[in-house]
Amino acid sequence: MANEQERVIEDGPGHVNDRKLPMSEVDSIIDSIPAMVAFMTPSGELEQVNRQILDYIGIPFDELKNWQASDTVHPDDLPSVTAAWMHSVDTGTPYDVEHRIRRADGVYRWFHVRGLPVRNSEGTITRWCVLQVDIDERRRDKVLIAKALADVSRSEERLRGIIDAVPGFVWSASPEGSVGFVNRRWCDYTGMSLEEACGNGWTASIHPDDAPGLGNYWQALLHSGDAGEYEARLKRFDGIYRWFLIRAVPQRDEAGRIVCWYGENTDIEDRKQAEAFLAKARSELTHLARVASLGAVTASIAHEVNQPLAGIITNASTCLRMLGADPPNVDGALETARRTIRDGNRAADVINRLRALFSKKSITIENVDLNDAAREVIAMLLGELQRNGVVLHPRFAEALPPVKGDRVQLQQVILNLIMNAVEAMTTITGRSRELFVSTGQEQDRSVYLAVKDSGTGVDPQDMERIFNAFYTTKSSGMGVGLSISRSIIEHHDGQLRATAHDGPGTTFTFSIPCADESAPTDNRDVSGRVMENH
Amino acid sequence: MGKYLLVSVVDDDESVRESLPDLIREFGFAVQAFASAQAFLASPYLGLTDCLILDVAMPGMSGQDLHRELLRRGYRIPVIFITAHADASQQAKLMNTGAVECLFKPFSEAQLLKALSAALPLD
Ligand SMILES: Nc1ncnc2c1ncn2[C@@H]1O[C@H](COP(=O)(O)OP(=O)(O)OP(=O)(O)O)[C@@H](O)[C@H]1O
Ligand SMILES: [Mg+2]
């Protein structure tokens, strides 16, 4: 645009002078040029301006002649404008400057001002032709853009500064999950560079035991597009692993498409250590309590039964001796035989008393939520599970009705079943140690809890024997866990059974009638049951 | 009197006091049974006893307490402990106090005989 106008002017005045057009015609020609045009003398004085200039500046030509002493040119630009103009006049080189010119209303606008010398046939400069093009808009846009760019880069720097200062690790990844940025702290911690971390490089910093789980979880997030978090150990530059909570959040555009993922890792090592310590302490306490209570039970059973057994054996021995004497002491033998029978009955009484003790002693019947009861037991055993490398899969049914029973006894059963499952998996190598604890309702509305393991399994012919008291295959076992558990469940009008399942391991399931009177949530069902029962 | 060695049985359990003396008598010893440690200490058989069969867990004075008291009084009677608690660590402890044997109830005739012959070298 400017070039076209420039060409017109360059040719224009030359022809005009050559053809010696009448002055009035020259005036009307320059007035019709759709730009601001001025003619200067070879010495640099203002010779003539067109109407556009007079209209824009709004002062008479005579005053305009003295432009260098006025504020027509912006005072800030005036020194450089004057210098450049003097230079062109002195050397005859084209003049090309951007500066502000005052409009009639006092507003300064930016102009691109270019001046070219007009020479006669001898090559002497006869005058200067100066074209002024309003570039204010363009100029303002440019300044705005420059300023905006400066702002952006400044805020980017600030952002990066903030990101680097965050007391955690910040990262971002593509919608497909390829990491494109990690902050300085991440690099400082892992000792890896940004380049090394990019793509999948960061996975090298994850503990080998946590990497597969984290990888699966990350893939699932990428697939579902949900935000999520995962706990994993990250290797520090010195090889030490610390626990981190890794969070990922998707960033979406207006259409809901994921643009990128932002992530943040928080150091939770201290919390983890406290948790692990607590869990260990709790688990040890539980184990102690369990062993102590079972030990106490067996000891008391043994003591009570051993007393009459001692009598039986002694009497039977005496009886044999009396009968074997010469002559046989028949009266004495009869007396000792009678005592043998009496002691035998006494032993039976002890057993009956113990059975009564087992099933009745200090039972408090209340509504028990098996989900809650199981959760509490599991919470106590988390450390135990972790130490044994057991992966827990809780599968708790929602809206499980409560059962009527003794909470502590039922928890004792759950504890026994889980401990048996864990113990059945300690020798397992080459496959994972999986523990499923699930709850639900049977068709007859009774509530069940199942403990499934991937352990050694039970020989089909031992499926019933394992419930016998003192049957154990463990060097340190007492063999009472399952028999006590079964007596507890049967006292709750329930059943405890062992089944084999697909694949290795065993499932132990107990089911207990649900406490229907206290489950008024489903009125129809309850009334149905009541009708049935009466 | 001098012909038979005297075995005293101290046990709070009545069936033991009934059955054990008969068997020991069948072995050829004289026997006296007592329901408590105090009863034995108060009896005239204290100084005549050649071997003492002593229940560990008794209300009031325990078998160990009685054993200690006898040693304190200067009696060197061989002692065979009997107990219904099959606890190996307790057994070791009792043996360390100088007992001849510690039998878990129920014990066999042979075990008892072996313990008695260890306590009373027959001549
Ligand atoms: N989940 C299981 N997988 C394989 N075998 C099992 C399982 N649960 C129990 N058993 C078998 O049943 C036996 C009896 O179990 P029970 O719990 O009654 O006693 P224990 O575990 O041996 O000893 P305690 O419970 O007194 O510590 C066990 O020794 C074991 O052989
Ligand atoms: Mg068990």
Side-chain angles (χ1 to χ4, degrees):
Chain A
M1 189 62 181
N3 281 342
E4 258 171 54
Q5 282 173 339
E6 193 179 289
R7 229 178 295 120
V8 172
I9 303 300
E10 224 173 314
D11 294 340
H15 291 296
V16 168
N17 278 340
D18 285 351
R19 290 186 194 165
K20 303 243 180 327
L21 286 172
M23 245 356 236
S24 59
E25 201 168 332
V26 172
D27 282 351
S28 67
I29 286 173
I30 56 174
D31 279 348
S32 68
I33 295 175
M36 288 161 53
V37 181
F39 293 104
M40 316 289 277
T41 62
S43 59
E45 302 299 315
L46 191 62
E47 186 185 15
Q48 193 184 355
V49 297
N50 70 353
R51 174 146 314 280
Q52 277 80 345
I53 286 189
L54 293 175
D55 287 349
Y56 176 87
I57 297 176
I59 53 174
F61 179 71
D62 288 338
E63 266 176 59
L64 193 55
K65 279 185 100 162
N66 220 5
W67 62 272
Q68 277 166 317
S70 74
D71 54 4
T72 301
V73 172
H74 194 287
D76 287 353
D77 302 337
L78 189 60
S80 57
V81 166
T82 309
W85 180 233
M86 294 315 290
H87 176 75
S88 288
V89 168
D90 285 349
T91 58
T93 50
Y95 169 84
D96 189 333
V97 176
E98 287 185 6
H99 64 84
R100 283 159 289 186
I101 301 174
R102 213 182 97 118
R103 199 165 61 185
D105 59 3
V107 172
Y108 284 98
R109 289 177 69 83
W110 281 94
F111 282 82
H112 186 190
V113 184
R114 313 186 71 180
L116 287 170
V118 181
R119 299 175 192 269
N120 60 17
S121 43
E122 280 90 52
T124 352
I125 292 175
T126 53
R127 56 171 58 85
W128 288 81
C129 178
V130 178
L131 179 74
Q132 308 177 357
V133 180
D134 187 331
I135 56 158
D136 198 70
E137 225 120 280
R138 210 174 71 204
R139 169 92 189 188
R140 231 177 341 173
D141 286 352
K142 230 162 77 184
V143 169
L144 270 183
I145 288 167
K147 206 170 143 254
L149 279 176
D151 276 358
V152 165
S153 69
R154 218 177 310 129
S155 68
E156 218 171 56
E157 262 164 45
R158 210 171 42 220
L159 201 62
R160 190 160 290 232
I162 291 170
I163 285 172
D164 280 336
V166 173
F169 304 159
V170 180
W171 49 267
S172 68
S174 73
E176 296 76 36
S178 172
V179 165
F181 169 78
V182 291
N183 72 343
R184 173 106 43 77
R185 276 182 188 251
W186 191 96
C187 295
D188 289 348
Y189 174 88
T190 57
M192 288 169 78
S193 68
L194 176 58
E195 291 71 37
E196 286 168 330
C198 278
N200 274 332
W202 59 275
T203 51
S205 68
I206 307 291
H207 192 287
D209 289 354
D210 302 335
L214 174 62
N216 290 343
Y217 185 78
W218 182 219
Q219 285 308 317
L221 282 191
L222 292 172
H223 191 252
S224 68
D226 294 333
E229 54 186 49
Y230 198 90
E231 292 179 2
R233 281 158 289 180
L234 257 70
K235 188 158 83 180
R236 205 164 61 187
F237 62 91
D238 57 0
I240 304 270
Y241 284 96
R242 289 179 71 85
W243 278 99
F244 280 80
L245 177 67
I246 303 174
R247 276 190 261 244
V249 181
Q251 175 87 16
R252 295 171 185 279
D253 64 13
E254 304 87 52
R257 277 184 308 249
I258 293 176
V259 188
C260 70
W261 288 85
Y262 286 118
E264 179 250 345
N265 308 351
T266 316
D267 190 326
I268 53 165
E269 178 68 23
D270 296 345
R271 193 192 89 195
K272 271 280 181 190
Q273 266 175 14
E275 272 176 13
F277 178 78
L278 254 183
K280 188 158 169 279
R282 245 189 324 206
S283 161
E284 265 161 18
L285 273 178
T286 317
H287 200 81
L288 274 182
R290 177 173 162 271
V291 167
S293 76
L294 291 189
V297 167
T298 32
S300 78
I301 294 173
H303 184 260
E304 291 296 303
V305 175
N306 283 340
Q307 289 287 26
L309 279 183
I312 290 169
I313 289 175
T314 308
N315 280 315
S317 304
T318 311
C319 183
L320 282 177
R321 282 193 170 259
M322 286 173 167
L323 287 175
D326 194 14
N329 177 357
V330 175
D331 286 348
L334 282 176
E335 172 59 20
T336 50
R338 258 194 297 273
R339 284 190 209 142
T340 306
I341 293 169
R342 189 202 56 200
D343 284 344
N345 284 334
R346 192 177 144 201
D349 281 351
V350 169
I351 302 285
N352 284 336
R353 232 186 24 244
L354 278 172
R355 193 176 286 152
L357 193 79
F358 256 98
S359 46
K360 278 207 201 87
K361 187 188 133 199
S362 68
I363 281 191
T364 31
I365 298 294
E366 52 179 324
N367 280 345
V368 181
D369 181 343
L370 279 187
N371 285 349
D372 282 349
R375 272 192 205 103
E376 284 177 17
V377 173
I378 288 171
M380 291 193 301
L381 290 177
L382 281 179
E384 192 80 20
L385 297 179
Q386 196 181 341
R387 256 192 307 288
N388 285 288
V390 173
V391 185
L392 173 74
H393 305 274
R395 299 275 152 85
F396 294 134
E398 279 178 42
L400 194 69
V403 296
K404 274 217 178 301
D406 182 275
R407 185 185 185 84
V408 176
Q409 285 200 337
L410 291 176
Q411 288 186 317
Q412 186 81 30
V413 173
I414 298 169
L415 182 74
N416 278 327
L417 296 183
I418 295 181
M419 286 311 297
N420 276 351
V422 171
E423 285 159 2
M425 294 191 282
T426 47
T427 55
I428 297 302
T429 48
R431 64 171 186 265
S432 55
R433 300 171 180 180
E434 313 267 348
L435 175 67
F436 291 83
V437 179
S438 46
T439 59
Q441 240 182 320
E442 311 262 34
Q443 257 156 5
D444 64 1
R445 300 203 356 110
S446 64
V447 178
Y448 72 81
L449 184 144
V451 176
K452 175 180 166 185
D453 63 62
S454 61
T456 51
V458 178
D459 203 307
Q461 66 204 36
D462 291 328
M463 276 298 196
E464 268 312 307
R465 195 139 66 110
I466 53 172
F467 291 96
N468 293 344
F470 306 115
Y471 175 82
T472 182
T473 55
K474 301 164 194 167
S475 55
S476 63
M478 292 179 207
V480 296
L482 285 178
S483 69
I484 290 178
S485 296
R486 182 169 257 184
S487 88
I488 289 174
I489 294 301
E490 283 177 353
H491 187 74
H492 285 78
D493 293 325
Q495 291 170 4
L496 171 63
R497 56 189 179 275
T499 42
H501 51 247
D502 291 343
T506 320
T507 305
F508 284 83
T509 312
F510 68 79
S511 54
I512 298 179
C514 78
D516 17 22
E517 310 83 34
S518 47
T521 40
D522 193 342
N523 286 323
R524 185 173 43 84
D525 234 347
V526 167
S527 61
R529 286 280 291 189
V530 170
M531 292 289 286
E532 232 172 73
N533 288 347
H534 291 268
Chain B
M1 193 64 190
K3 188 173 181 237
Y4 295 110
L5 292 167
L6 177 63
V7 177
S8 292
V9 175
V10 183
D11 196 319
D12 64 317
D13 190 89
E14 201 192 337
S15 75
V16 171
R17 287 202 308 276
E18 267 179 6
S19 58
L20 201 52
D22 278 357
L23 183 61
I24 292 167
R25 224 170 269 128
E26 287 294 317
F27 289 161
F29 298 105
V31 185
Q32 285 296 328
F34 303 89
S36 72
Q38 289 89 342
F40 175 68
L41 286 174
S43 83
Y45 297 99
L46 176 59
L48 302 171
T49 297
D50 297 296
C51 174
L52 186 61
I53 297 182
L54 192 48
D55 185 30
V56 175
M58 291 186 292
M61 196 178 198
S62 76
Q64 278 169 282
D65 293 340
L66 174 56
H67 189 203
R68 232 175 278 131
E69 178 62 17
L70 289 174
L71 293 174
R72 199 185 65 79
R73 294 192 191 180
Y75 291 97
R76 300 275 173 257
I77 310 172
V79 168
I80 298 168
F81 281 111
I82 54 175
T83 175
H85 276 290
D87 184 332
S89 67
Q90 199 197 17
Q91 184 182 40
K93 239 182 273 167
L94 290 170
M95 297 300 289
N96 281 340
T97 64
V100 175
E101 187 53 274
C102 177
L103 297 176
F104 291 146
K105 296 179 194 177
F107 45 83
S108 68
E109 182 190 304
Q111 284 174 305
L112 179 62
L113 204 50
K114 198 172 150 220
L116 280 172
S117 47
L120 300 166
L122 294 174
D123 36 27

